[in-house]
Amino acid sequence: MTKRRNKILVPAARAGLDELKAKVAGSASPEDAKFEAASEVGVPLKKGYNGQLTSEQAGKVGGRLGGSMVRELVKMAQEGMMKKR
């Protein structure tokens, strides 16, 4: 199986994506977003090395953030389309 690398195709979009991540996680900064998401799903995430986490636990954190970001982006696109009408 090949490794997947999630790479931002437009590097200038990083700031906007970080802002969105903080917004959907309900945190003050994008750095704190993963800790907010981890606490919401009951995963013991800490700063630094987290090698003790299972794949399931890591997936819960990433899924929570990624899923929320996708939902928000779809909502924004729908609102933009409605405004064009």
Side-chain angles (χ1 to χ4, degrees):
M1 179 181 257
T2 61
K3 278 192 171 186
R4 290 177 59 179
R5 301 267 184 217
N6 291 333
K7 193 172 170 182
I8 296 175
L9 296 177
V10 181
R14 178 168 298 283
L17 289 171
D18 285 345
E19 187 179 310
L20 179 63
K21 183 189 299 184
K23 177 183 172 184
V24 299
S27 65
S29 71
E31 294 82 29
D32 295 335
K34 64 183 172 185
F35 298 105
E36 292 285 333
S39 68
E40 288 176 12
V41 294
V43 174
L45 188 67
K46 62 182 192 277
K47 291 192 187 278
Y49 180 70
N50 285 287
Q52 79 287 355
L53 294 181
T54 64
S55 324
E56 180 182 4
Q57 290 173 319
K60 282 183 181 179
V61 176
R64 162 69 174 84
L65 285 173
S68 297
M69 289 176 69
V70 168
R71 276 190 294 282
E72 186 65 24
L73 288 169
V74 168
K75 180 180 155 191
M76 290 166 59
Q78 288 174 334
E79 289 171 357
M81 290 171 56
M82 293 301 287
K83 287 181 182 177
K84 286 185 178 180
R85 287 187 172 188

